[in-house]
């Protein structure tokens, strides 16, 4: 599982997913957008359903990637521990891993019901620039190429009318233009 806001999904997300899938020998990676972003939603940002659709567009074409809509469909604030309970009930034969970045590794102690969660999933960590990628909970660290790219930076570039080519998959860029997201004028239909 690779959870996140995906506001918007970008090439860094795809590179992390593929790198971890390969390095950790995972059968697949499921991208799981959350319903309520951890930051305040700004006017012009994508709603949960738009983020879900952009994520679907981003992973299309890779048979090893899929989208898990469970948190968006549930709505409201999601807690990973509860979501994993639902997924494990639905798929009792599946061994789940949860991919997190170095910044999340350092903050695992703040996650809701973390002591129970570490019994439900294996955390696979990816170092990120500027993080120590260390903490007190068990995390398998995998080394993959690092890219310093964030959805925040990309939203700013979009709002300024700057290029995001090769940083965001082309189908996602088209969707952003069609929907008029992140300050980009809506395309004529």
């Amino acid at each position: 599982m690779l959870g996140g806001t995906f506001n918007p999904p970008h090439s860094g997300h795809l590179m992390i997913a593929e790198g971890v899938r390969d390095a950790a020998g995972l059968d697949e990676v499921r991208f799981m957008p959350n319903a309520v972003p951890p930051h305040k939603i700004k006017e012009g940002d994508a709603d949960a359903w738009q983020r879900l659709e952009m994520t679907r567009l981003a992973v299309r074409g890779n048979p090893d990637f899929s989208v898990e809509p469970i948190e968006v469909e549930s709505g409201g604030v999601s807690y990973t521990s509860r979501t994993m309970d639902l997924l494990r009930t639905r798929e009792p034969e599946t061994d789940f891993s949860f991919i997190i970045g170095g910044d999340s590794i350092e903050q695992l102690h703040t996650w809701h019901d973390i002591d129970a969660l570490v019994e439900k999933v294996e955390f696979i960590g990816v170092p990120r620039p500027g993080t120590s990628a260390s903490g007190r909970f068990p995390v398998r660290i995998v080394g993959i190429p690092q890219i310093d790219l964030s959805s925040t930076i990309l939203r700013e570039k979009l709002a300024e009318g700057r290029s995001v080519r090769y940083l965001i998959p082309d189908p996602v860029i088209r969707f952003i233009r069609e929907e008029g997201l992140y300050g980009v004028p809506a395309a004529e239909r």
Side-chain angles (χ1 to χ4, degrees):
M1 305 301 293
L2 177 60
T5 305
F6 303 112
N7 190 25
H10 55 71
S11 298
H13 295 129
L14 300 173
M15 290 173 60
I16 288 168
E18 182 61 19
V20 170
R21 188 202 60 75
D22 180 58
L26 302 178
D27 294 328
E28 67 174 324
V29 175
R30 296 184 201 173
F31 289 66
M32 184 171 62
N34 55 30
V36 178
H39 62 279
K40 187 175 181 177
I41 298 174
K42 296 179 184 168
E43 188 175 335
D45 269 6
D47 65 29
W49 294 100
Q50 289 169 320
R51 291 184 292 103
L52 182 66
E53 182 59 24
M54 285 189 289
T55 306
R56 285 184 174 131
L57 291 169
V59 306
R60 190 179 348 176
N62 185 330
D64 299 318
F65 292 171
S66 63
V67 175
E68 175 53 67
I70 192 168
E71 291 191 347
V72 170
E73 289 173 350
S74 296
V77 176
S78 300
Y79 293 104
T80 304
S81 182
R82 182 177 176 279
T83 299
M84 295 316 301
D85 285 341
L86 294 171
L87 289 171
R88 289 176 50 184
T89 298
R90 187 176 80 189
E91 301 173 48
E93 301 300 316
T94 301
D95 291 324
F96 288 99
S97 300
F98 205 86
I99 302 167
I100 57 175
D103 49 342
S104 292
I105 296 169
E106 295 172 351
Q107 297 300 313
L108 272 178
H109 67 280
T110 67
W111 285 34
H112 176 77
D113 206 16
I114 185 61
D115 292 317
L117 182 57
V118 297
E119 301 297 322
K120 299 172 190 175
V121 300
E122 174 190 33
F123 281 103
I124 301 176
V126 178
R128 288 185 69 173
T131 65
S132 67
S134 64
R136 64 179 182 150
F137 293 97
V139 177
R140 177 166 58 150
I141 304 295
V142 296
I144 62 171
Q146 296 183 25
I147 181 169
D148 192 11
L149 185 62
S150 74
S151 295
T152 302
I153 291 168
L154 295 173
R155 287 192 305 272
E156 290 170 2
K157 288 175 74 80
L158 286 161
E160 294 167 0
R162 296 174 49 212
S163 175
V164 293
R165 190 172 189 194
Y166 305 118
L167 301 176
I168 298 176
D170 288 343
V172 176
I173 293 172
R174 281 192 294 279
F175 183 86
I176 289 168
R177 288 184 179 138
E178 288 168 5
E179 297 290 311
L181 299 173
Y182 313 119
V184 173
E188 303 251 345
R189 295 181 195 242

